[in-house]
Amino acid sequence: GNRLELPEVMNVGWLDKSHPYNRADVSEKMLTQLKNLIFSSGDLDIHVNLTRGIHQCDFCGEMDVVLEQNGKRKWLGSDELWIPSLKEGEYFASPSLIYHYIYNHAYCPPSDYIVSVLALDLETKFNGQEVYNRLVGKY
């Protein structure tokens, strides 16, 4: 089917091994923040389009990419992460595997994405799925 184009949304980190990607070290601070965002819940929920299946890593073939924090576990590869951009009304969409790509495969996302991740306060009220539903409803 046709993929819906949402002009307010920039896709980041949809990688596959047949295409080269930007490699560089990403700060520990950025990785920690991204992990905190992945584990956040309640008023701040960046998870969008949760599926029943899990997408394996195209680079290492890892099927069960699991993040752990404070005794909790999150499986990556079954949803998207939506991050509000610093540009008002714009958002970044990435596969949840983006954390694995950065940490394990030296992927360096665009600087706008990194800055937006670092700027997102964990106390912010933001529901990625609601934003997604609203934007899809517009078109």
Side-chain angles (χ1 to χ4, degrees):
N2 287 348
R3 186 164 174 158
L4 187 62
E5 291 291 328
L6 300 174
E8 302 88 345
V9 181
M10 281 85 44
N11 290 312
V12 171
W14 302 91
L15 308 181
D16 77 63
K17 62 185 172 197
S18 62
H19 296 91
Y21 60 89
N22 190 28
R23 293 171 186 264
D25 284 336
V26 171
S27 74
E28 195 64 43
K29 185 178 176 188
M30 191 296 201
L31 271 168
T32 299
Q33 172 72 351
L34 186 55
K35 188 176 192 178
N36 288 338
L37 292 170
I38 288 169
F39 277 93
S40 66
S41 57
D43 282 347
L44 178 60
D45 186 353
I46 64 169
H47 300 275
V48 174
N49 293 339
L50 189 62
T51 63
R52 288 179 180 269
I54 291 203
H55 185 82
Q56 74 180 50
C57 176
D58 197 42
F59 300 103
C60 64
E62 180 68 48
M63 277 296 291
D64 289 318
V65 180
V66 180
L67 269 188
E68 295 195 35
Q69 187 182 69
N70 303 326
K72 291 184 180 154
R73 307 177 92 192
K74 288 265 189 192
W75 273 258
L76 304 182
S78 63
D79 61 348
E80 297 177 15
L81 306 178
W82 277 42
I83 305 287
S85 167
L86 290 186
K87 296 180 187 138
E88 187 67 36
E90 292 187 2
Y91 306 89
F92 291 102
S94 62
S96 57
L97 279 168
I98 192 168
Y99 183 94
H100 173 79
Y101 296 153
I102 294 168
Y103 188 85
N104 295 81
H105 301 293
Y107 170 58
C108 182
S111 57
D112 286 358
Y113 177 85
I114 294 172
V115 169
S116 296
V117 165
L118 288 170
L120 185 52
D121 188 320
L122 295 171
E123 302 300 311
T124 301
K125 281 183 169 28
F126 174 76
N127 184 297
Q129 189 67 55
E130 286 175 8
V131 172
Y132 171 87
N133 295 345
R134 179 173 53 79
L135 291 178
V136 168
K138 277 173 56 175
Y139 299 100

